[in-house]
Amino acid sequence: MPDNVAIRRLASREALMRRIRAGDSYSVLLVAIVVAYGMMAVLTTSQWHRTIEGVVFGVVLLLALHTSHIRGRWIQVAAVVVGAWILLNIVQSAAGEVFEGAGSLMSVLIVVTPLVVLNRILRHPQVNLETILGAICAYLLIGIAFATIYGLMDHLGGDPFFAQGDAHDPVKFLYFSFIVLTTVGFGDLSPATDPGRIVVSLEALIGQIFLVTLVAGLVGNMGRLRGPSATGVEQPAPPDPGDDDA
């Protein structure tokens, strides 16, 4: 009996690794995103928290791209960007200070990643559980992308992004972004400038539209094929009225 249990566990691990290598394993990506977000709250007191966060979020982004079938040169470019970002985080942690604008190296990749995930799940020939989990992953990645945009506006703008002060760490930007995305609106943080208010309003609209249209539509079409071409079977042409011998 123990041998059978070990064999089943080994088979399960091998099946999981095959799914990850093949892509479209959005359940794994979802777990990785949640773990990465939770780690930020735990590691804020560590001198090396920037390096650990850089590694964790870099892995999440690369996993998101790989899961969405980004291959070849593009995944190599993404890996170089992530590697450079991690190196910068190591230097920051060793120096004990934050270099202004260092995080901007990853900004484009972070913003593009949810769009890549959406592009992939919308191409699934059949709506299944992984499709819906992919939509949830894209939703969370949108929150991370807007947090990055808010951080850039805070660093590059002339005024602080938040009306409640000018010193805010990445956790607060992530917290604020998800509060806006889910339209909870606690009110403890708010944008200080008109450009900030416009971007915040855009995120709130995206959050609502995303849930009530895309996610709801995917759940409603669970198990359905997306058009005749998705079946892989050529459909017969409609009969020509002129060929009717009746």
Side-chain angles (χ1 to χ4, degrees):
M1 182 65 68
D3 291 339
N4 292 335
V5 172
I7 291 173
R8 286 198 295 269
R9 289 178 178 174
L10 179 61
S12 298
R13 286 195 295 268
E14 291 177 350
L16 177 61
M17 293 307 299
R18 285 197 298 270
R19 286 179 57 196
I20 293 175
R21 288 193 294 267
D24 289 310
S25 51
Y26 288 103
S27 54
V28 177
L29 177 60
L30 180 58
V31 172
I33 293 173
V34 173
V35 169
Y37 186 71
M39 287 182 65
M40 291 195 69
V42 177
L43 298 171
T44 51
T45 58
S46 171
Q47 177 183 352
W48 291 89
H49 71 91
R50 295 188 191 94
T51 298
I52 300 173
E53 291 168 3
V55 172
V56 172
F57 274 98
V59 170
V60 167
L61 292 175
L62 290 177
L63 179 61
L65 296 175
H66 171 77
T67 303
S68 301
H69 287 228
I70 299 300
R71 302 287 189 269
R73 180 180 302 174
W74 290 111
I75 196 68
Q76 293 173 0
V77 171
V80 170
V81 172
V82 169
W85 185 46
I86 292 173
L87 181 60
L88 281 174
N89 282 314
I90 293 174
V91 174
Q92 286 186 135
S93 298
E97 60 183 80
V98 177
F99 303 140
E100 295 294 328
S104 62
L105 184 66
M106 283 284 287
S107 300
V108 174
L109 182 60
I110 293 173
V111 172
V112 167
T113 299
L115 301 177
V116 173
V117 174
L118 283 174
N119 179 69
R120 176 58 189 171
I121 64 172
L122 293 177
R123 292 173 180 270
H124 281 182
Q126 184 177 23
V127 178
N128 53 29
L129 180 60
E130 292 294 338
T131 309
I132 296 174
L133 292 177
I136 296 173
C137 289
Y139 184 74
L140 297 177
L141 290 169
I142 288 171
I144 295 173
F146 271 97
T148 301
I149 294 172
Y150 299 148
L152 284 175
M153 294 176 70
D154 184 72
H155 287 308
L156 303 178
D159 299 316
F161 180 81
F162 290 123
Q164 289 75 16
D166 57 355
H168 294 92
D169 56 48
V171 174
K172 290 186 174 64
F173 285 111
L174 273 174
Y175 158 78
F176 176 74
S177 179
F178 282 113
I179 290 300
V180 172
L181 188 67
T182 56
T183 64
V184 175
F186 289 148
D188 53 341
L189 294 172
S190 58
T193 63
D194 287 338
R197 296 184 184 100
I198 292 173
V199 178
V200 167
S201 301
L202 178 63
E203 182 181 12
L205 289 172
I206 290 175
Q208 286 298 293
I209 294 172
F210 193 96
L211 291 178
V212 301
T213 57
L214 181 63
V215 176
L218 290 174
V219 173
N221 287 280
M222 182 75 168
R224 295 184 181 178
L225 295 172
R226 294 178 173 178
S229 60
T231 63
V233 178
E234 183 177 356
Q235 300 296 312
D240 187 345
D243 294 337
D244 191 355
D245 296 332

